[in-house]
């Protein structure tokens, strides 16, 4: 079958890259190409920035509720096309179909949510220390935003960023991950149809080392929003210069199972949290901290269930776990399994790749893991779970907090004291009680602490990454009043 070629989207036009080069996006389940994309470079990014700069005055001047109507239209078009796009996510990224559809649903949800924010964009009014003086804040756009997005939620995460950036009145250049450019290209085609004016959203596909670096370093970009790996995030922080920066990096998310927990419920949650999306969520559960009083029993349940998980093409209804995104990702999981073995942890199931095409890897569980092992500290981003025994909620929280990351976390318990201690003391942006570490909803803030980053996306807080607060003072006293001086 002939492979379609897709162009860059700059200033409202689909154009070729300056490089004349292309790259292919592969279906990770079959290793076949699903599309050919422009290998955009620095010059392409600079053109896209110019287009975004040109479009900024008119777009930022449009009343926010009116921008909101365009966002609603985008949501409507996404909804109409949900089935096709869900299959596209499944094919390009390798999730199972219900998750592919969920990815599109999350995009619909956030566009609807942010459309409503257009009628709010809250500032606040407050008192003044002086007579006849009025004080308040409003939200203003950041300007031209650079968005660098990952492959694991190829519709949802670009939508979190684009919807918030749009409603706040910014224009933007987006560089999607080279593993999933088609999802963003399709999303932007819908935006074009929904009436997003030329130049407001520009797409440059291409490598991190050329297109990506230009977005990070270019001084005309006023704000940068990045979701991706810890290493790239650290490089960005060191090179970004003076810009408003959003950082959403990795996780080593724990689920604590206490001795009073409903074990069947915890089992469902852990299987879903650890092996859903093949463990490739920054919110995926990669550590289970289980009370020693129930550990043996729970391990038997967990291993039995994990063994039954069927790996395969996500479009196949019988598949539970899809492939990893690419060859390097599978090799990373393999490397860590080797590290875990050498560290002395015991493989209870998995630890191998099935035969045949596709970047598949069996769901893998390590038992007898100690908290300081590399497999319990470092993000693997694959279907590899470490189980650690604990004796109390205090010990569990200490181990939960004993990594550099802090995104999501969870505790299974029926004891309100355990639940509240976990909610208060776990160092993370999100704590779930009696549900897994994944499944954030778009009207609540999403983000982490420590080396996970410092940004909150989605929810009202999501507005802050894509706007500045501006302070306004109105003095109607008719004479000079000096703050801090004329206070008597
Ligand atoms: C991510 O893995 O980067 O909460 C985002 C969740 C999803 C989003 C995950 N709604 O798991």
């Amino acid at each position: 079958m002939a492979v379609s070629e897709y162009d860059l989207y700059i200033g409202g036009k689909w154009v070729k890259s300056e490089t004349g080069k292309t790259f292919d996006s592969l279906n990770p389940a079959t290793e076949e190409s699903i599309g050919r994309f422009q290998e955009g470079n620095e010059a392409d990014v600079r053109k896209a920035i110019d287009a975004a700069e040109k479009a900024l005055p008119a777009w930022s001047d449009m009343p926010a509720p009116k921008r909101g109507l365009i966002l609603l239209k985008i949501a409507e078009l996404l909804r109409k096309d949900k089935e096709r796009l869900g299959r596209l996510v499944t094919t390009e990224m390798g999730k199972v179909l219900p998750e592919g559809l969920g990815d599109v649903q999350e995009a619909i949800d956030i566009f609807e949510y942010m459309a409503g924010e257009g009628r709010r964009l809250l500032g606040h009014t407050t008192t003044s220390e002086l007579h006849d003086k009025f004080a308040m804040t409003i939200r203003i756009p950041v300007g031209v935003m650079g968005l660098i997005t990952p492959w694991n939620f190829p519709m949802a995460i670009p939508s979190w960023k684009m919807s918030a950036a749009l409603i706040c009145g910014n224009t933007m250049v987006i560089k999607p991950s080279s593993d999933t450019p088609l999802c963003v290209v399709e999303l932007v085609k819908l935006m074009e149809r929904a009436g997003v004016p030329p130049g407001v959203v520009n797409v440059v596909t291409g490598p991190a080392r050329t297109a990506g670096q230009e977005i990070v370093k270019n001084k005309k970009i006023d704000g940068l929003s990045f979701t991706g790996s810890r290493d790239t995030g650290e490089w960005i922080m060191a090179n970004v210069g003076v810009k408003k920066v959003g950082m959403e990096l990795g996780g080593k998310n724990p689920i604590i199972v206490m001795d009073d927990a409903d074990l069947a419920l915890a089992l469902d949650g852990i299987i879903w949290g650890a092996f859903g999306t093949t463990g490739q969520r920054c919110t995926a559960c990669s550590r289970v901290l289980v009370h020693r009083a129930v550990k043996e029993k729970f391990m038997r349940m967990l291993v039995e269930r994990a063994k039954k998980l069927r790996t395969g093409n996500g479009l196949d209804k019988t598949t539970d776990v899809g492939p990893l995104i690419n060859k390097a990702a599978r090799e990373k999981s393999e490397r860590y399994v080797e590290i875990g073995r050498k560290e002395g942890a015991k493989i209870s199931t998995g630890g191998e790749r099935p035969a045949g095409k596709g970047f598949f890897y069996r769901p893998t569980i390590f038992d007898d893991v100690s908290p300081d092992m590399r497999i319990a500290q470092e993000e693997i981003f694959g279907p590899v779970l470490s189980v650690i025994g604990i004796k109390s909620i205090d010990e569990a929280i200490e181990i939960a907090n004993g990594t550099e990351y802090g995104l999501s976390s969870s505790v299974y318990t029926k004891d309100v004291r355990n639940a509240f201690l976990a909610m208060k003391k776990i160092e993370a942006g999100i704590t779930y009680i009696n549900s897994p570490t994944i499944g954030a909803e778009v009207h609540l803030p999403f983000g982490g602490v420590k080396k996970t980053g410092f940004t909150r996306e989605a929810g009202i807080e999501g507005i802050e990454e894509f706007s500045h607060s501006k302070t306004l003072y109105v003095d109607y006293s008719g004479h000079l009043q000096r703050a801090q001086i004329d206070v008597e």
Side-chain angles (χ1 to χ4, degrees):
M1 212 175 76
V3 174
S4 307
E5 187 168 322
Y6 299 87
D7 291 347
L8 308 175
Y9 186 60
I10 298 178
K13 292 197 176 69
W14 295 93
V15 295
K16 302 283 177 213
S17 161
E18 296 270 321
T19 63
K21 291 192 204 149
T22 58
F23 64 96
D24 284 46
S25 170
L26 301 187
N27 175 343
T30 63
E31 302 181 37
E32 283 161 7
S33 173
I34 64 160
R36 191 150 293 159
F37 296 84
Q38 303 299 308
E39 197 181 298
N41 69 358
E42 295 87 340
D44 295 311
V45 167
R46 285 194 288 269
K47 275 193 209 158
I49 293 172
D50 288 346
E53 255 191 335
K54 227 173 111 198
L56 184 62
W59 180 249
S60 58
D61 206 35
M62 185 187 283
K66 223 169 155 189
R67 292 196 294 262
L69 291 179
I70 297 180
L71 266 63
L72 268 190
K73 184 77 189 165
I74 297 167
E76 188 192 319
L77 292 176
L78 279 166
R79 198 186 290 282
K80 277 197 190 131
D81 222 2
K82 180 173 167 184
E83 190 63 37
R84 182 184 71 88
L85 294 172
R87 294 179 78 84
L88 168 60
V89 172
T90 303
T91 315
E92 192 175 36
M93 189 271 161
K95 320 185 178 211
V96 292
L97 186 55
E99 291 186 44
L101 293 166
D103 202 320
V104 182
Q105 186 59 48
E106 199 162 331
I108 297 169
D109 293 345
I110 193 75
F111 274 106
E112 283 178 351
Y113 175 79
M114 286 296 170
E117 273 301 330
R119 289 203 172 265
R120 187 155 60 166
L121 285 185
L122 294 176
H124 61 265
T125 57
T126 185
T127 56
S128 165
E129 65 189 41
L130 296 165
H131 287 290
D132 294 341
K133 191 175 170 191
F134 188 77
M136 65 180 169
T137 67
I138 57 168
R139 308 239 42 120
I140 56 169
V142 176
V144 174
M145 297 278 316
L147 314 178
I148 301 181
T149 57
W151 44 264
N152 66 336
F153 279 80
M155 288 263 160
I157 294 181
S159 296
W160 289 1
K161 295 188 194 302
M162 286 197 271
S163 61
L166 285 170
I167 202 65
C168 292
N170 303 284
T171 58
M172 66 210 72
V173 179
I174 178 167
K175 191 199 93 60
S177 161
S178 295
D179 283 305
T180 54
L182 187 51
C183 286
V184 167
V185 164
E186 290 287 343
L187 187 58
V188 169
K189 280 190 192 163
L190 294 191
M191 293 180 156
E192 195 180 20
R193 272 174 57 204
V196 173
V200 171
V201 174
N202 304 277
V203 185
V204 179
T205 52
R209 62 172 193 284
T210 55
Q213 291 204 12
E214 183 65 24
I215 291 178
V216 172
K217 289 185 174 169
N218 195 299
K219 292 198 165 56
K220 289 184 176 174
I221 297 241
D222 305 296
L224 182 87
S225 176
F226 173 73
T227 300
S229 75
R230 160 96 183 269
D231 288 352
T232 309
E234 288 194 335
W235 184 89
I236 290 175
M237 289 308 290
N239 289 278
V240 71
V242 182
K243 289 186 177 61
K244 188 168 170 68
V245 181
M247 272 290 135
E248 191 66 67
L249 309 177
K252 195 69 194 174
N253 313 294
I255 292 185
I256 298 170
V257 182
M258 291 305 292
D259 49 349
D260 63 311
D262 177 338
L263 294 186
L265 184 68
L267 177 64
D268 284 346
I270 289 166
I271 291 287
W272 173 228
F275 303 124
T277 326
T278 323
Q280 301 173 105
R281 297 194 190 208
C282 36
T283 51
C285 163
S286 51
R287 295 183 293 157
V288 169
L289 316 183
V290 54
H291 199 287
R292 290 193 188 276
V294 294
K295 180 163 176 280
E296 221 184 288
K297 179 178 177 195
F298 190 68
M299 271 310 282
R300 271 200 307 276
M301 294 162 72
L302 185 61
V303 170
E304 192 194 332
R305 180 77 82 80
K307 281 194 167 134
K308 286 194 189 132
L309 295 172
R310 288 156 303 195
T311 45
N313 191 319
L315 289 177
D316 184 341
K317 279 203 175 63
T318 62
T319 296
D320 300 304
V321 180
L324 285 138
I325 186 69
N326 56 31
K327 192 163 168 269
R330 177 166 61 183
E331 283 168 6
K332 185 176 183 192
S333 284
E334 287 178 331
R335 211 163 49 242
Y336 271 100
V337 166
E338 213 27 61
I339 290 170
R341 276 201 177 107
K342 288 209 180 107
E343 286 179 309
K346 180 183 131 216
I347 293 206
S348 301
T349 179
E352 65 206 356
R353 54 162 90 168
K357 280 254 172 222
F359 307 117
F360 296 100
Y361 196 70
R362 285 294 309 158
T364 300
I365 299 176
F366 272 110
D367 196 359
D368 297 335
V369 176
S370 62
D372 54 348
M373 287 181 184
R374 284 183 65 192
I375 53 168
Q377 288 288 327
E378 297 170 22
E379 189 178 47
I380 302 172
F381 225 63
V384 182
L385 180 63
S386 293
V387 180
I388 299 170
I390 47 112
K391 287 204 193 71
S392 65
I393 188 71
D394 296 318
E395 186 191 5
I397 292 171
E398 195 183 317
I399 294 172
N401 291 344
T403 74
E404 290 192 302
Y405 293 108
L407 181 54
S408 189
S409 55
S410 154
V411 55
Y412 281 82
T413 183
K414 290 183 193 134
D415 182 332
V416 79
R417 178 174 156 75
N418 290 340
F420 271 86
L421 281 176
M423 288 192 282
K424 184 171 166 192
K425 293 198 168 166
I426 293 184
E427 295 163 3
I430 308 169
T431 297
Y432 289 91
I433 304 299
N434 292 331
S435 62
T437 48
I438 65 177
E441 301 176 30
V442 304
H443 55 297
L444 284 108
F446 178 94
V449 299
K450 300 179 7 185
K451 294 291 185 281
T452 293
F454 40 79
T455 310
R456 293 295 174 267
E457 294 194 296
I460 304 184
E461 287 84 348
I463 292 295
E464 280 164 30
E465 188 185 344
F466 297 92
S467 63
H468 291 297
S469 164
K470 181 174 187 189
T471 308
L472 307 176
Y473 296 105
V474 182
D475 189 323
Y476 55 97
S477 68
H479 56 270
L480 173 67
Q481 301 195 86
R482 297 169 302 173
Q484 293 90 40
I485 296 168
D486 300 327
V487 287
E488 296 307 320

